[in-house]
């Protein structure tokens, strides 16, 4: 596409910022606050983006390429001002202009509210994917929900997590555009009437429904250096209030109206803060249908306007990727539209639908698999229920007649079973592609969780190992490392991240490794300053920065990490002269508000921190820092400073992980289990450059199968574990008594379901190896470089290229 970016000098930018401050903010540059400057800059950026945005849309209209719509209940996009500046090629200039005006770029960019419209990995992946699609010039867009309240803000009070509402829209969000004229109606409830038409066929009329207005807010998705701007469309629920309705003279009616409006606006009211645990809440299914129905209407309207061909050709022009099962009502909703509104018969509608929808699975945890009570769907979405029922009937009959060898599996494959609708089954049956997010995960789907479906549809299953955008997660967050890489191997790695392997030649190059060491050191200093500012605690920049940042979940085993900390502390108390490499343990994690055990672990980490950090006998050799309110912005500060990346989930449980990729790309070494993408990291960097420990997934599955693991045996035989456990059970920790009886009892009486005690020995031993290896700075740096050099494989550009080639069959524009 034509390159028309307005290149500016720094002085021109300075002038533009000044005049924007005056024009938009009604103040002078002398009196401008950080916020004034932030809004001025975002307006300049927006003007630049908007030109490319209309051009991109125009281009798609003319060429009518096949387009991909990524449907997701979550988009964790992070702040946009810096990434947009980077992608339009103005970041360096803008930084300098800000400095010239006497402000700090970091402070200016921090004015932007970080929209927390996602829980964790799944939402952040969606954001990386959109960025890569735009940067690779693919016509791909996101469809999501514009929640008024995002992920809660986390505060610690006496070490306990408390949740504060995140009203992120309090101040104007400069990147969204409300498109009121493109609003669509979404219908809930009502009755379905069946008519026999003259020709004998049946017609369904859906009447007396509750109408909700879905209003789109579009956010630009800016490609890197290519003038492409795609769209993230987020739907907001509004009441389709008719003026005259509100002027009703009846007070009772009037209040009924207000009440009704409130319940409508609830639909896009807040993000459910549950990660990996399903709850059958009616509001959540309303949210899901709202997203699906509004997005489909908008997609089909666009198709009709531009393509002007029968919807029979939809699969040639549209592919819908559903991010986990959350948008899986896409299948029956598209069927409904094609049959009831477009007049297709069942077979044709099914052919179209199942060739448009593709499904990504992100978890095998059974508690995360969505199952909706069938009566709930029946009353909320009666027509969709009929269609799901019919899909199920035909599916089960198909097995019965065509796959007799699977007959006895029907009860565990049926979409409707035990009065519940199994959404993963619906998604597999109604799509043409089912993918896992790392090799091991996909194998587990094929061989275990979905083995019957794999027997039925082997051709649907495929793997797409996750990735992260190296533009945000390297270039933006670590400009010093970025410059060093470019000075060393030239700039081609930016468009071909695989070429980072050219760095391997420098793995023994002293001057280069020195520079790498200085950069890590500088990043650690700046994180240390931030930690001091936030917590008042001074950390040693020479210590190992040992980082575990992710949602708090038992399977992710933050508990194993803190057990190791407690063990080191006990050792130091018993042997004050013990020679250990100083460490700073850094945690960031939110627990789902209703997840009691996860909250206990938070409280434990905070308790350990407050004792360890203030114990003079430890002489600063250990520090434990639990940073509040972990989110994308905080990740961006921590990741460039990490030495050691903790990826220690129970093997077989973490579908992929993406934090592992982000830290590797910034030169951290991984300590991890053979789980998710860790395995693929290991295979690239090689055993000497990663610290692998613990049970493997087959062993874990075998223990679950046989029940041969007895946690108490370990408690009885490993003194270190007995000590820790007894401390939790009301024992002494330092000079304080602590009490975490629930953790104690859970591990012993629920038989340690995540193998914390079982893996403890291997973990501490491997941590000792880390301690030893960190002392040899040059070797460590060399390993760090090898990790960076192999991280190009984990650019989401590679992932998106694979989706585009294998699933979507779309072309670059
Ligand atoms: C219905 C409640 C609920 C909410 C979110 C269930 C499940 C989820 C997600 C599937 C949780 C999630 O974010 N999964 C993570 O997805 C990442 C991106 O693929 C993976 O890297 C992580 O391993 C996986 O845990």
């Amino acid at each position: 596409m034509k390159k028309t970016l307005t290149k500016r000098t720094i002085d021109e930018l300075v002038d533009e910022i000044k005049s924007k401050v005056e024009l938009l903010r009604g103040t002078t540059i002398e009196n401008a606050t950080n916020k004034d400057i932030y809004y001025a800059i975002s307006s300049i950026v927006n003007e630049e983006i908007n030109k490319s945005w209309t051009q991109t849309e125009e281009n798609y209209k003319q060429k009518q390429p096949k387009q991909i719509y990524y449907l997701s209940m979550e988009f964790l996009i992070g702040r946009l001002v810096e990434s947009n500046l980077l992608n339009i090629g103005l970041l360096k200039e803008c930084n300098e202009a800000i400095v010239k005006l006497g402000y700090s770029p970091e402070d200016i960019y921090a004015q932007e509210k970080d929209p927390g419209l996602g829980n964790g990995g799944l939402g952040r992946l969606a954001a990386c994917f959109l960025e890569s699609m735009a940067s690779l010039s693919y016509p791909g867009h996101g469809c999501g929900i514009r929640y008024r309240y995002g992920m809660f803000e986390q505060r610690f009070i006496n070490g306990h997590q408390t949740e504060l509402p995140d009203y992120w829209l309090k101040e104007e969000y400069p990147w969204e555009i409300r498109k009121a004229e493109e609003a669509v109606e979404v219908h809930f409830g009502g009755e379905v009437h069946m008519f026999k038409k003259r020709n004998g066929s049946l017609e369904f009329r859906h009447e007396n429904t509750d109408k909700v207005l879905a209003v789109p807010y579009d956010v630009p998705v800016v490609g890197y250096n290519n003038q492409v701007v795609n769209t993230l469309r987020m739907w907001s629920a509004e009441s389709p209030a008719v003026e005259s309705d509100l002027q009703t003279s009846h007070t009772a009616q009037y209040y009924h109206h207000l009440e009704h409006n409130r319940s409508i606006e609830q639909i896009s009211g807040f993000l459910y803060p549950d990660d990996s645990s399903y709850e059958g809440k009616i509001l959540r299914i309303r949210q899901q249908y709202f997203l699906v129905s509004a997005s489909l209407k908008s997609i089909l309207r666009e198709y009709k306007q531009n393509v002007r061909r029968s919807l029979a050709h939809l699969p040639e022009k549209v592919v819908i990727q559903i991010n986990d099962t959350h948008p899986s009502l896409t299948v029956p909703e598209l069927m409904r539209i094609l049959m009831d509104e477009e007049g297709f018969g069942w077979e044709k509608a099914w052919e179209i639908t199942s060739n448009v929808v593709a499904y990504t699975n992100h978890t095998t945890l059974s508690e995360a698999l969505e199952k909706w009570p069938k009566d709930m769907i029946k009353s909320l979405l009666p027509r969709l229920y009929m269609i799901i029922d019919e899909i199920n009937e035909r599916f089960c009959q198909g097995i019965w007649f065509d796959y007799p060898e699977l007959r006895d599996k029907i009860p565990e494959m049926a979409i409707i079973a035990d009065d519940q609708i199994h959404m993963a089954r619906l998604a597999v049956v109604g799509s043409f592609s089912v993918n896992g997010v790392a090799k091991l995960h996909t194998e587990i789907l094929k061989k275990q969780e979905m083995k019957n479906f794999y027997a039925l549809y082997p051709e649907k299953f495929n793997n797409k190992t996750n990735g992260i955008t190296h533009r945000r997660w390297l270039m933006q967050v670590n400009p010093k490392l970025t410059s060093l890489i470019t000075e060393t191997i030239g700039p081609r790695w930016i468009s071909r991240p695989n070429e980072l392997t050219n760095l391997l030649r420098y793995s023994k190059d002293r001057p280069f490794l020195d520079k790498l060491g200085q950069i890590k050191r500088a990043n650690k200093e700046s994180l240390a300053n931030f930690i001091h500012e936030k917590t008042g605690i001074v950390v040693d920049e020479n210590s190992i920065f040992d980082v575990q940042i992710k949602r708090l979940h038992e399977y992710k085993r933050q508990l194993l990490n803190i057990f190791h900390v407690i063990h080191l502390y006990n050792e130091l108390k018993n042997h004050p002269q013990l020679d250990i490499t100083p460490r700073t343990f850094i945690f960031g994690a939110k627990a789902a508000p209703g997840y009691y055990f996860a909250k206990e672990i938070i409280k434990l980490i905070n308790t350990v921190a407050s004792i360890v950090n203030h114990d003079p006998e430890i002489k600063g050799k250990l520090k434990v820092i639990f940073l509040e309110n972990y989110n994308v912005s905080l990740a961006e500060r921590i990741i460039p400073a990490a030495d050691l990346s903790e990826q220690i989930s129970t093997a077989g449980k973490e579908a992929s992980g993406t934090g592992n990729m982000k830290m590797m790309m910034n030169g951290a070494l991984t300590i991890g289990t053979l789980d998710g993408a860790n395995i693929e990291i290991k295979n690239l960097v090689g055993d000497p450059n990663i610290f692998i420990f613990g049970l493997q997934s087959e062993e874990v599955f075998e223990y679950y199968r046989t029940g041969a693991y007895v946690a108490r045996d370990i408690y009885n035989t490993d003194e270190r574990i007995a000590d820790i456990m007894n401390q939790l059970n009301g024992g002494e920790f330092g000079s304080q008594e602590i009490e975490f009886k629930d953790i104690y009892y859970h591990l012993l009486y629920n038989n340690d379901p995540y193998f914390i005690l079982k893996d403890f020995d291997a973990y501490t031993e491997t941590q000792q190896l880390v301690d030893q290896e960190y002392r040899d700075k040059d070797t460590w740096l060399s390993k760090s470089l090898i990790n960076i050099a192999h991280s190009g494989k984990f650019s989401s550009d590679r992932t998106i290229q694979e989706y585009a080639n294998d699933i979507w069959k779309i072309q670059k524009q």
Side-chain angles (χ1 to χ4, degrees):
M1 209 187 284
K2 229 177 80 205
K3 300 222 153 66
T4 55
L5 182 78
T6 332
K7 259 295 171 197
R8 296 161 166 87
T9 65
I10 290 149
D11 287 326
E12 283 167 346
L13 259 177
V14 166
D15 289 342
E16 268 184 85
I17 294 172
K18 281 184 185 164
S19 77
K20 284 284 181 198
V21 163
E22 285 167 16
L23 232 79
L24 286 175
R25 308 291 295 175
T27 183
T28 62
I29 195 73
E30 289 75 27
N31 295 318
T33 60
N34 282 337
K35 194 133 279 157
D36 293 324
I37 307 285
Y38 161 67
Y39 278 110
I41 291 170
S42 57
S43 159
I44 295 168
V45 174
N46 263 325
E47 282 171 18
E48 201 62 57
I49 289 173
N50 285 341
K51 292 181 224 161
S52 310
W53 204 355
T54 32
Q55 265 189 29
T56 303
E57 285 183 350
E58 200 47 46
N59 188 38
Y60 295 159
K61 267 203 185 91
Q62 275 174 16
K63 292 204 205 150
Q64 293 177 23
K66 185 174 181 185
Q67 309 213 34
I68 139 84
Y69 297 89
Y70 199 83
L71 258 64
S72 178
M73 290 283 282
E74 308 188 7
F75 285 93
L76 203 45
I77 57 180
R79 290 184 183 137
L80 292 183
V81 62
E82 226 180 322
S83 59
N84 284 346
L85 278 163
L86 175 70
N87 284 10
I88 63 174
L90 276 184
L91 183 56
K92 279 209 174 106
E93 289 80 354
C94 190
N95 286 343
E96 288 185 37
I98 293 171
V99 171
K100 210 159 186 184
L101 285 164
Y103 296 79
S104 125
E106 189 183 317
D107 293 347
I108 300 293
Y109 303 144
Q111 296 305 308
E112 182 164 326
K113 263 293 212 179
D114 182 347
L117 307 186
N119 272 286
L122 163 135
R124 181 55 232 176
L125 186 75
C128 283
F129 279 6
L130 293 187
E131 200 273 350
S132 277
M133 287 191 260
S135 292
L136 294 174
S137 307
Y138 281 118
H141 313 280
C143 300
I145 295 178
R146 179 183 180 266
Y147 303 104
R148 257 173 300 116
Y149 290 86
M151 189 66 193
F152 65 81
E153 193 185 316
Q154 179 194 53
R155 294 272 173 83
F156 296 140
I157 298 183
N158 294 328
H160 291 282
Q161 167 173 298
T162 54
E163 299 97 24
L164 298 174
D166 164 49
Y167 187 55
W168 68 289
L169 291 164
K170 192 157 69 200
E171 290 174 58
E172 186 200 54
Y173 182 64
W175 308 111
E176 64 178 11
I177 300 183
R178 179 184 164 92
K179 295 269 172 75
E181 66 291 351
E182 293 184 48
V184 299
E185 266 189 1
V186 174
H187 295 235
F188 291 94
E191 306 115 32
V192 181
H193 300 286
M194 199 168 70
F195 300 89
K196 211 166 197 158
K197 291 205 285 200
R198 282 245 195 86
N199 64 9
S201 67
L202 295 176
E203 187 187 320
F204 293 90
R205 272 192 225 142
H206 198 176
E207 286 166 351
N208 298 322
T209 53
D210 269 337
K211 293 167 196 59
V212 174
L213 198 64
V215 182
Y217 285 72
D218 288 354
V219 174
V221 182
V222 180
Y224 180 77
N225 196 20
N226 66 352
Q227 309 298 111
V228 171
V229 178
N230 289 333
T231 303
L232 166 56
R233 170 156 281 194
M234 291 192 282
W235 298 100
S236 179
E238 294 182 11
S239 153
V242 185
E243 289 283 313
S244 60
D245 285 358
L246 276 172
Q247 286 163 5
T248 171
S249 49
H250 260 293
T251 324
Q253 238 176 356
Y254 175 77
Y255 282 102
H256 177 77
H257 250 293
L258 287 188
E259 184 88 18
H260 188 63
N261 292 355
R262 259 239 303 266
S263 90
I264 284 175
E265 285 158 13
Q266 270 291 322
I267 294 172
S268 53
F270 71 94
L271 168 81
Y272 275 92
D274 288 315
D275 181 271
S276 313
S277 98
Y278 153 79
E279 258 189 291
K281 289 268 165 61
I282 184 110
L283 180 54
R284 169 120 176 137
I285 192 78
R286 283 167 142 259
Q287 290 185 333
Q288 296 184 348
Y289 182 66
F290 175 73
L291 165 68
V292 160
S293 181
S295 303
L296 275 174
K297 282 188 180 156
S298 149
I299 292 167
L300 294 180
R301 179 159 66 192
E302 177 113 343
Y303 175 91
K304 287 181 177 173
Q305 271 171 13
N306 297 334
V307 182
R308 297 172 182 281
R309 282 175 85 187
S310 151
L311 282 168
H313 296 279
L314 194 65
E316 296 159 37
K317 295 292 179 188
V318 169
V319 51
I320 296 175
Q321 188 74 39
I322 58 172
N323 202 16
D324 215 274
T325 56
H326 317 156
S328 54
L329 289 175
T330 301
V331 173
E333 175 67 357
L334 184 51
M335 287 295 286
R336 183 191 67 77
I337 296 172
L338 291 171
M339 295 188 301
D340 297 0
E341 294 177 12
E342 303 289 337
F344 287 96
W346 182 277
E347 278 77 16
K348 191 67 198 170
W350 183 250
E351 183 194 322
I352 297 171
T353 300
S354 56
N355 280 299
V356 161
V357 180
Y359 157 53
T360 305
N361 174 285
H362 293 266
T363 182
T364 52
L365 297 183
S366 55
E367 67 270 27
L369 294 182
E370 292 189 294
K371 299 179 275 281
W372 295 100
K374 76 176 194 190
D375 290 338
M376 200 161 113
I377 305 293
K378 219 178 204 168
S379 68
L380 186 68
L381 304 166
R383 180 61 182 135
L384 255 64
Y385 179 79
M386 294 169 70
I387 293 170
I388 295 170
D389 196 32
E390 181 71 21
I391 294 173
N392 183 47
E393 275 305 309
R394 289 177 185 240
F395 170 67
C396 293
Q397 282 195 27
I399 298 179
W400 183 267
F401 291 112
D402 302 336
Y403 297 85
E405 69 281 9
L406 283 174
R407 273 183 195 170
D408 61 326
K409 306 288 185 206
I410 291 178
E412 45 186 296
M413 297 177 80
I415 297 166
I416 305 179
D418 315 318
D419 292 330
Q420 292 188 307
I421 304 182
H422 294 248
M423 303 310 264
R425 302 177 192 171
L426 176 63
V428 174
V429 174
S431 63
F432 68 89
S433 164
V434 179
N435 77 279
V437 290
K439 278 183 191 150
L440 174 70
H441 171 59
T442 302
E443 287 310 307
I444 293 173
L445 289 179
K446 293 200 290 195
K447 299 209 176 102
Q448 304 182 43
E449 304 306 317
M450 298 190 168
K451 63 172 188 291
N452 297 326
F453 288 96
Y454 181 56
L456 192 58
Y457 312 117
E459 71 293 345
K460 287 191 188 185
F461 285 77
N462 64 96
N463 175 248
K464 295 288 168 281
T465 299
N466 282 166
I468 56 169
T469 164
H470 60 287
R471 287 163 293 271
R472 178 180 290 263
W473 294 108
L474 177 52
M475 298 169 73
Q476 180 190 318
V477 304
N478 204 339
K480 293 195 181 88
L481 179 56
T482 303
S483 301
L484 176 63
I485 295 172
T486 300
E487 281 159 24
T488 311
I489 60 170
R492 269 171 49 126
W493 66 275
I494 294 172
S495 51
R496 300 175 187 78
N498 268 328
E499 292 193 7
L500 283 171
T501 49
N502 288 334
L503 288 169
L504 288 172
R505 269 181 276 143
Y506 297 84
S507 71
K508 296 262 144 41
D509 182 308
R510 266 309 250 293
F512 177 86
L513 294 180
D514 279 347
K515 286 186 210 155
L516 186 62
Q518 283 159 19
I519 290 167
K520 182 59 83 178
R521 166 81 195 198
N523 292 339
K524 286 168 76 175
E525 273 167 20
S526 98
L527 179 60
N529 289 336
F530 178 81
I531 289 173
H532 184 246
E533 230 171 80
K534 291 283 162 183
T535 66
I537 297 168
V538 176
V539 303
D540 173 6
E541 290 110 354
N542 292 312
S543 65
I544 306 175
F545 277 23
D546 179 332
V547 176
Q548 189 172 21
I549 43 175
K550 48 184 80 248
R551 281 301 286 267
L552 212 137
H553 203 291
E554 285 165 88
Y555 85 80
K556 295 179 188 280
R557 299 203 295 190
Q558 282 92 352
L559 194 53
L560 179 58
N561 187 340
I562 202 68
F563 265 40
H564 173 238
V565 178
I566 297 174
H567 163 67
L568 286 180
Y569 178 79
N570 290 344
E571 287 278 291
L572 276 173
K573 294 296 273 190
N574 293 333
H575 316 280
Q577 297 313 320
L578 195 73
D579 177 28
I580 68 161
T581 309
R583 278 209 210 208
T584 303
F585 295 90
I586 297 167
F587 291 89
K590 286 177 179 171
Y595 191 171
Y596 168 77
F597 197 73
K599 289 182 148 181
E600 278 295 289
I601 295 171
I602 288 182
K603 170 70 181 160
L604 173 61
I605 299 172
N606 278 325
T607 305
V608 170
S610 73
I611 294 170
V612 169
N613 294 343
H614 300 111
D615 187 335
E617 283 177 32
I618 296 303
K619 302 201 189 72
K621 285 186 202 160
L622 301 178
K623 286 279 160 70
V624 181
I625 306 294
F626 198 152
L627 290 168
E628 275 176 338
N629 200 37
Y630 179 60
N631 61 9
V632 174
S633 307
L634 192 54
E636 291 171 358
R637 286 183 179 276
I638 299 171
I639 287 168
D643 291 313
L644 188 66
S645 158
E646 297 272 353
Q647 308 299 338
I648 59 178
S649 51
T650 311
K653 300 273 179 198
E654 188 70 272
S656 160
T658 44
N660 46 3
M661 302 167 184
K662 290 165 197 162
M663 284 196 264
M664 170 199 197
M665 196 174 267
N666 283 275
L669 273 58
T670 302
I671 182 166
T673 47
L674 286 175
D675 201 14
N678 297 352
I679 297 173
E680 289 159 73
I681 294 178
K682 181 199 96 129
N683 290 341
L684 282 171
V685 301
D687 292 319
N689 303 302
I690 188 166
F691 300 96
I692 296 293
F693 73 95
L695 290 177
Q696 303 198 14
S697 56
E698 296 81 18
E699 299 174 294
V700 169
F701 295 133
E702 195 59 14
Y703 276 130
Y704 284 136
R705 202 178 62 78
T706 61
Y709 170 52
V710 183
R712 187 170 281 279
D713 292 347
I714 296 181
Y715 172 76
N716 289 335
T717 51
D718 189 330
E719 227 174 286
R720 301 163 303 173
I721 288 202
D723 286 345
I724 297 170
M725 293 286 280
N726 296 337
Q727 283 170 304
L728 297 183
N729 190 25
E732 285 259 313
F733 189 74
S735 49
Q736 262 171 264
E737 259 187 23
I738 59 170
E739 203 175 82
F740 289 90
K741 285 195 193 294
D742 289 319
I743 297 180
Y744 172 87
Y745 283 110
H746 181 62
L747 291 176
L748 288 186
Y749 293 90
N750 290 339
N751 199 34
D752 181 20
Y754 297 95
F755 302 93
I756 310 260
L757 305 189
K758 181 79 188 161
D759 272 346
F760 176 81
D761 183 56
Y763 182 58
T764 44
E765 199 173 304
T766 308
Q767 285 286 22
Q768 242 166 39
L769 193 64
V770 170
D771 177 301
Q772 288 301 319
E773 292 204 2
Y774 193 76
R775 297 172 192 221
D776 178 355
K777 288 277 138 52
D778 285 340
T779 311
W780 185 276
L781 281 170
S782 173
K783 295 180 179 201
S784 166
L785 174 69
I786 291 170
N787 273 271
I788 298 167
H790 285 293
S791 68
K793 163 88 193 285
F794 298 107
S795 165
S796 43
D797 288 5
R798 187 266 312 150
T799 314
I800 286 302
Q801 196 63 63
E802 291 177 5
Y803 274 91
N805 294 343
D806 305 345
I807 304 177
W808 302 336
K809 319 275 188 212
I810 56 170
Q811 306 300 322
K812 290 185 177 173
Q813 292 306 302

